[in-house]
Amino acid sequence: MTDTIGAGLGPLAQAEKEYLMQTFKRQPLELVRGDRWNVYDPEGREFLDFVAGIAVNVLGHNHPALVEAVTRQAKDAIHVSDLYYSRPQVELAKRLNELGFKGRVFYANSGAEANECAFKVARKWGKENRYGAFDIISTNQSFHGRTLATVAATGQPKYQKPFLPMPTGFGHVGYNDIAALKEATDERTVAVLLEPVQGESGIVPATKEYMTAVRQWCDDKNLLLIFDEVQTGVGRTGHFYAFQGYDVVPDIVTLAKGLGGGVPIGVCLAGPRADVLAHGDHGSTFGGNPLACAAALAVIDTIERDGVIENARVVGAYLEQRLRQLADEFGCVAEVRGAGLMVAMLLDRDIAGELEAAALEHGLLVNAIGPRVIRMVPPLIIGKAEVDRAIDILAQSLDLILGQVGLPRPQAPA
Ligand code: PLP
């Protein structure tokens, strides 16, 4: 075993560079195995996983219920075409209704694809209900995916710049700013697209007043309201659908990341007002295959049986509380914010990358999003003991970094 994490990476890193498009900047770590909230490198070192595949592994790694469901389904049929009926598809759609959104489902394989479906629904609905209106208004700093249309919907020019010109029909206004939305709405507007909590740009929750006002505005102006719950959905914020925490129901909702617990699946649910797609309007070869649906059904069964959503709420509140204690101890932690187990720690200086690296060295995976924000989206099954372990590592890491840059180290209380 080498002493330094990532020391044995050389040939793999070289081959990655040779054979894979260089779209991802990787941490110096190979992961080969996981168990609940821990992941392991080839040499057996253990890391506490507060990244969870970026909010994907809601049941952690290697969860017996998920492994059993996927194994059982794989023995029957991994894939059958949507040309035929498939029971897991129907069962999953029914469960998604029972969990709190009345609507019909289109199955895709990722968050971006789920959103693409929502855009097509909105455009068709605009033709039939709003004289051909097709503009979708989303928000600055939003994130909706990496296909061309979802990049156009994403309110971050850096993702668009290399690929200009963008597809038309997308505009952006300030988040949590109802006046800006009203100002931007015109006769071409067909829908408003929102994340209930902005994920990629630093875990920024919408306010309740804003969500209520947006719903009212969409009703007043005959617009569709689309919630992108690709990251917030499936219990992440302490509700199955994050909108349940706001008492605001959209016309369309999209889910992906957590739904299959790691098996790729995306869904677009359209409520009765928006349910306009008909035979031939949309499709996906893999979408809703029995393997992905069986995985999602096992995730939902487990969430319900084990009280996972309640756990996300309780342990999420504990994580925020412990991070606030850390902020009291270390002046460089400026703010802590989040919802459920979707939590960000904001720093007052550009050390997020260093902190991510130091935490990794000490056995904790967290995700630096931008120079000053650390995102934590752990499995929803962690307990308070895992939070305590993470806080200890963050404290050690901050201590190290502050020492390195010559800033005062926190003093232990007398
Ligand atoms: N929408 C939101 C809110 C997301 O956070 C993401 C991914 O991070 C996406 C859409 C895109 O999902 P995918 O990467 O599965 O296409």
Side-chain angles (χ1 to χ4, degrees):
M1 191 201 259
T2 53
D3 286 342
T4 320
I5 291 167
L9 266 182
L12 178 65
Q14 256 170 5
E16 191 265 359
K17 201 164 182 180
E18 189 173 348
Y19 295 114
L20 299 192
M21 288 193 199
Q22 293 296 292
T23 54
F24 296 104
K25 187 167 180 297
R26 296 178 197 269
Q27 297 294 312
L29 176 65
E30 181 189 357
L31 294 176
V32 292
R33 190 171 73 77
D35 180 28
R36 295 176 300 166
W37 39 75
N38 294 317
V39 284
Y40 299 86
D41 75 2
E43 306 194 288
R45 285 191 201 89
E46 183 176 281
F47 299 84
L48 177 57
D49 186 6
F50 270 37
V51 174
I54 313 190
V56 166
N57 303 99
V58 286
L59 300 183
H61 301 271
N62 208 7
H63 193 288
L66 185 53
V67 172
E68 199 271 326
V70 168
T71 309
R72 185 169 19 91
Q73 186 59 52
K75 283 182 183 162
D76 282 346
I78 291 175
H79 178 80
V80 296
S81 168
D82 288 322
L83 292 171
Y84 310 100
Y85 287 95
S86 171
R87 196 168 293 271
Q89 284 190 349
V90 180
E91 279 174 19
L92 177 58
K94 187 164 173 276
R95 296 294 287 281
L96 292 172
N97 270 252
E98 289 160 359
L99 282 156
F101 184 80
K102 297 276 168 270
R104 288 202 289 195
V105 166
F106 177 83
Y107 287 111
N109 314 284
S110 66
E113 279 180 80
N115 286 337
E116 290 273 355
C117 176
F119 302 163
K120 286 178 77 172
V121 170
R123 286 199 172 192
K124 186 168 181 200
W125 184 87
K127 283 201 192 319
E128 294 178 356
N129 297 280
R130 236 180 106 73
Y131 316 105
F134 63 87
D135 272 358
I136 295 174
I137 301 179
S138 103
T139 56
N140 298 332
Q141 304 306 321
S142 59
F143 188 86
H144 299 292
R146 300 300 204 116
T147 61
L148 263 187
T150 55
V151 165
T154 291
Q156 301 191 54
K158 69 177 180 198
Y159 292 126
Q160 302 176 349
K161 211 170 154 212
F163 310 108
L164 293 172
M166 285 289 108
T168 52
F170 297 94
H172 306 93
V173 295
Y175 191 63
N176 276 329
D177 185 347
I178 186 68
L181 174 62
K182 291 184 176 178
E183 174 80 26
T185 304
D186 62 22
E187 71 282 353
R188 285 170 314 187
T189 310
V190 72
V192 177
L193 168 67
L194 286 180
E195 292 160 88
V197 181
Q198 286 190 334
E200 297 300 308
S201 58
I203 317 283
V204 184
T207 66
K208 187 156 171 39
E209 302 73 55
Y210 176 63
M211 292 289 254
T212 309
V214 173
R215 177 69 272 181
Q216 190 61 52
W217 183 248
C218 289
D219 290 343
D220 292 349
K221 295 291 164 188
N222 191 30
L223 307 173
L224 292 179
L225 178 55
I226 307 169
F227 283 166
D228 175 345
E229 293 232 23
V230 166
Q231 190 161 157
T232 56
V234 196
R236 176 62 51 193
T237 68
H239 303 271
F240 186 83
Y241 297 102
F243 67 72
Q244 291 164 318
Y246 289 94
D247 282 331
V248 169
V249 182
D251 301 296
I252 300 172
V253 61
T254 57
L255 300 173
K257 287 180 178 284
L259 187 58
V263 178
I265 182 168
V267 301
C268 174
L269 284 128
R273 186 167 167 243
D275 190 358
V276 292
L277 293 192
H279 286 167
D281 278 340
H282 201 34
S284 162
T285 297
F286 292 119
N289 78 29
L291 189 78
C293 291
L297 282 164
V299 167
I300 290 173
D301 282 346
T302 308
I303 281 180
E304 290 189 328
R305 190 194 59 219
D306 294 352
V308 170
I309 295 179
E310 173 67 9
N311 188 67
R313 210 175 298 152
V314 171
V315 179
Y318 183 68
L319 174 59
E320 281 198 42
Q321 179 204 324
R322 292 293 328 264
L323 286 168
R324 291 212 169 86
Q325 285 170 359
L326 207 65
D328 291 343
E329 213 180 315
F330 291 88
C332 63
V333 179
E335 193 189 331
V336 174
R337 64 183 176 220
L341 276 171
M342 186 175 179
V343 176
M345 178 168 78
L346 277 74
L347 301 154
D348 74 349
R349 62 201 78 169
D350 295 356
I351 53 169
E354 267 180 276
L355 183 54
E356 179 184 50
L360 189 150
E361 280 291 327
H362 289 81
L364 170 69
L365 304 187
V366 291
N367 174 219
I369 39 175
R372 294 187 174 200
V373 185
I374 293 284
R375 168 169 57 178
M376 282 164 261
V377 280
L380 305 183
I381 57 164
I382 61 163
K384 290 183 178 175
E386 285 64 55
V387 169
D388 290 340
R389 200 170 130 205
I391 295 291
D392 284 350
I393 295 177
L394 286 172
Q396 280 173 40
S397 306
L398 280 171
D399 204 23
L400 191 81
I401 291 169
L402 297 184
Q404 274 176 2
V405 295
L407 293 166
R409 283 162 174 245
Q411 299 298 311

